[in-house]
Amino acid sequence: MIHIDDALNAQLTFVKTPERSAEKDTAEIESLVKTILDDVRKDGDAAVARYASKFDGSDLEAFEVSAKDREAALAQLDPQTRADTEFAIDNVRRFAQAQMDTILPLEVELHPGIHLGHRVIPIERVGCYVPGGRFPLLSAPIMSLVPAKVAGCDEVIACLPPNAHPAMIAGCHLSGADRIFRIGGAQAIAAMAFGTQTVPSVDKIVGPGNAFVNEAKRQVFGPVGIDQLAGPSEIFIVADETANPVMVAADLLAQAEHDVRTRVGLITTDAALAQATLREVEAQLTHLSTAAVAAPAWRDYGSIVVCETEEAMIAYSDIIAAEHLQVHTRDSKATGQKLRHYGSLFIGENASVVYSDKCCGTNHTLPTMGAGRYTGGLWVGSFVKICTHQWLEDRGVETVALPAGRQAATEEMEGHRRAAMFRLQGAKVFEG
């Protein structure tokens, strides 16, 4: 639950409020996921097969997608779809490479003879969960697999539901997956975390999924790394009186069609825009082919808030810390500079979330449920480790040994004191 202080709350008028809480709606699956994880850890492939049959109606004899099946999926891909997929892959790869070029190794001589630094080390083996969803989400494999390959990971594997559209296998292949497995849900996370007779254990698991996938990632975290805990998708738009209510409504509904639990909202300084958007959303829903998903999302999790001032609008947006945050104001760049908490920022009316979702180059795997207050989204840096090192010359020892030894003595850690002073005093450090 978000907390709004009284001073800010007095400046807000809630035109529409959510009818349900996404946090509470995902609170009852912990026990089932724990059982799945325990079973896969104990029984490996056999447990994966049982859950694939139970949840996906799948009785595959082999989980791994063969080279022949990869080629078949690629051959089935419509030429224009393949061209669009490769366009997206190229954009994501180029942006990831530009980001990678900013992550540099470091060597510095902090004091004479004291050399410190860090290396940029790719994670050895990464597992990417690729959601199947109710639609073939062709952009999903691109966002996790491509940055991992750019980062230089030794092996990148993909897991996707067994009933995923064949185009998804083609997308994994084009995005550079070293191995692809037809395993979905919590059992896929378990297989990648613990390893089975077929699936290798990985060092880090990334990628969005449903509530079961999310809970599984939470439970395996520790021995294996994860990117983040991704809740239902979110879009909020901060806007003033210059915004177009038809465009605002269209962008809100575009995101709402992801899932019936998608959080969508407008934060505005203009009451007329709020009312116009409310009417426009309802009008557009009457002829939206995905209204069966978008309408419940809007009804249950949609919100419109009118703020008395721009400062209040900024403050409230920063409390929400939306996954996707669009800015539709008179000077969107200036407004954007004032915003601090979000997953990804879309500045100006031309910057639709849809472009990032699909192909413009930034990553669409982003923090939700307020996590934008402390982290950004998936990026090439998620696939490398920054590991420090140090080496000392004799003159460096002369600089640090005495302070380290005195500190150790103050802390009554005699072993530390001896180790610190041995480089200066040799065996004398052990005498009385």
Side-chain angles (χ1 to χ4, degrees):
M1 294 293 291
I2 63 173
H3 174 72
I4 306 171
D5 64 44
D6 292 341
L8 176 58
N9 195 53
Q11 300 183 65
L12 308 179
T13 301
F14 292 86
V15 176
K16 183 188 182 306
T17 58
E19 296 185 8
R20 301 180 66 172
S21 165
E23 293 95 332
K24 291 180 181 178
D25 287 348
T26 60
E28 299 179 358
I29 63 171
E30 181 177 345
S31 178
L32 175 57
V33 168
K34 183 178 186 303
T35 298
I36 294 171
L37 297 182
D38 289 344
D39 286 351
V40 174
R41 179 162 24 199
K42 180 178 65 174
D43 296 336
D45 284 348
V48 171
R50 288 198 301 272
Y51 286 114
S53 177
K54 179 178 181 179
F55 296 131
D56 300 312
S58 170
D59 295 308
L60 293 172
E61 293 184 4
F63 301 130
E64 185 163 10
V65 180
S66 67
K68 180 180 178 181
D69 287 343
R70 284 188 181 216
E71 290 301 326
L74 206 57
Q76 294 177 40
L77 202 59
D78 172 77
Q80 186 60 62
T81 300
R82 176 168 182 167
D84 291 340
T85 299
E86 290 175 335
F87 172 74
I89 288 170
D90 184 58
N91 288 339
V92 172
R93 179 184 293 118
R94 288 167 60 192
F95 185 64
Q97 186 61 60
Q99 290 181 304
M100 190 69 190
D101 291 343
T102 71
I103 309 174
L104 301 175
L106 173 67
E107 293 287 343
V108 59
E109 190 171 7
L110 204 62
H111 296 279
I114 301 176
H115 302 268
L116 312 179
H118 69 231
R119 291 172 58 201
V120 181
I121 305 174
I123 295 172
E124 188 171 347
R125 181 184 286 143
V126 170
C128 300
Y129 187 81
V130 179
R134 51 177 51 85
F135 310 115
L137 300 174
L138 301 180
S139 57
I142 299 171
M143 300 296 173
S144 54
L145 292 161
V146 172
K149 299 301 288 187
V150 171
C153 299
D154 291 11
E155 186 174 27
V156 182
I157 73 169
C159 281
L160 72 168
N163 54 5
H165 194 283
M168 298 294 290
I169 293 174
C172 290
H173 177 80
L174 292 171
S175 297
D178 295 298
R179 301 178 72 180
I180 306 170
F181 296 90
R182 292 186 180 99
I183 307 173
Q187 59 270 26
I189 303 302
M192 291 189 285
F194 309 132
T196 71
Q197 295 86 346
T198 301
V199 183
S201 61
V202 303
D203 302 306
K204 187 171 186 176
I205 298 172
V206 305
N210 62 20
F212 292 91
V213 169
N214 203 47
E215 175 61 20
K217 286 169 69 177
R218 187 188 70 79
Q219 291 191 28
V220 302
F221 174 65
V224 63
I226 63 171
D227 51 349
Q228 58 195 359
L229 296 175
S233 189
E234 303 168 350
I235 180 175
F236 277 74
I237 299 175
V238 296
D240 61 17
E241 71 282 359
T242 65
N244 181 340
V246 179
M247 182 181 290
V248 170
D251 284 351
L252 293 176
L253 291 177
Q255 205 66 20
E257 70 182 4
H258 270 291
D259 189 275
V260 294
R261 295 182 303 123
T262 301
R263 297 174 66 207
V264 299
L266 169 64
I267 307 170
T268 180
T269 53
D270 188 60
L273 175 69
Q275 293 298 331
T277 300
L278 189 61
R279 293 191 298 270
E280 188 60 35
V281 167
E282 297 299 336
Q284 291 186 26
L285 278 170
T286 63
H287 51 83
L288 181 66
S289 62
T290 52
V293 177
W298 172 248
R299 178 191 67 228
D300 292 340
Y301 303 107
S303 66
I304 297 178
V305 180
V306 177
C307 307
E308 289 185 2
T309 64
E310 183 192 48
E311 290 74 18
M313 180 174 69
I314 299 296
Y316 184 69
S317 177
D318 276 349
I319 289 172
I320 295 295
E323 177 190 20
H324 306 94
L325 182 59
Q326 292 189 182
V327 184
H328 292 200
T329 60
R330 180 175 284 101
D331 189 344
S332 294
K333 289 185 178 179
T335 304
Q337 287 295 316
K338 299 173 184 177
L339 292 158
R340 183 169 185 173
H341 300 307
Y342 51 82
S344 190
L345 192 64
F346 301 81
I347 304 168
E349 289 188 340
N350 284 342
S352 173
V353 166
V354 172
Y355 300 145
S356 174
D357 265 358
K358 305 304 178 187
C359 62
C360 78
T362 54
N363 206 294
H364 75 199
T365 305
L366 301 166
T368 63
M369 311 294 279
R373 294 186 60 82
Y374 62 81
T375 188
L378 192 68
W379 70 300
V380 71
S382 304
F383 300 97
V384 298
K385 304 177 295 180
I386 309 299
C387 299
T388 60
H389 60 261
Q390 52 276 306
W391 62 277
L392 277 65
E393 301 174 48
D394 290 343
R395 58 180 179 165
V397 171
E398 293 171 359
T399 300
V400 298
L402 286 171
R406 289 192 296 266
Q407 185 174 335
T410 299
E411 296 169 349
E412 299 184 358
M413 301 182 77
E414 178 60 14
H416 279 66
R417 188 194 69 80
R418 289 179 176 182
M421 297 304 296
F422 185 85
R423 275 81 176 169
L424 286 182
Q425 298 179 347
K428 291 181 179 180
V429 75
F430 301 111
E431 298 176 3

